[in-house]
Amino acid sequence: MELFLQGLRVAAVIALLCVSAALATPPGRLPLALRGLKKIMRKDRGLAPDTTTDATVSPRRRFLAFLVALLAVAVAVF
């Protein structure tokens, strides 16, 4: 039973971090880690790098993403 609960905690932390990344990412863009992966894959295929401009995220969304990330830390620690 203890192992099952630990698995649920890990899943909850991963889900919260995914939500946080989605909140902190501008609309229509990939999260930062996936953008790097996309850049590497495009380079490996010999394609030109993306030249899209960076859209901004509102401070309210960034703060909410920070709070969700802190919640993920709290779930992981306690």
Side-chain angles (χ1 to χ4, degrees):
M1 185 65 171
E2 180 70 26
L3 187 61
F4 177 72
L5 291 177
Q6 286 180 355
L8 283 179
R9 261 180 56 194
V10 169
V13 168
I14 291 171
L16 286 169
L17 290 176
C18 288
V19 168
S20 178
L23 284 171
T25 302
R29 295 286 314 260
L30 290 172
L32 185 60
L34 295 179
R35 276 186 266 162
L37 182 63
K38 180 182 174 185
K39 183 178 179 180
I40 290 170
M41 291 175 69
R42 287 183 66 82
K43 185 178 178 183
D44 286 346
R45 285 190 258 153
L47 300 174
D50 268 345
T51 57
T52 56
T53 59
D54 284 334
T56 59
V57 177
S58 71
R60 181 176 293 160
R61 281 185 64 174
R62 284 187 294 176
F63 183 69
L64 185 59
F66 177 70
L67 290 179
V68 173
L70 285 179
L71 179 62
V73 170
V75 169
V77 172
F78 298 112

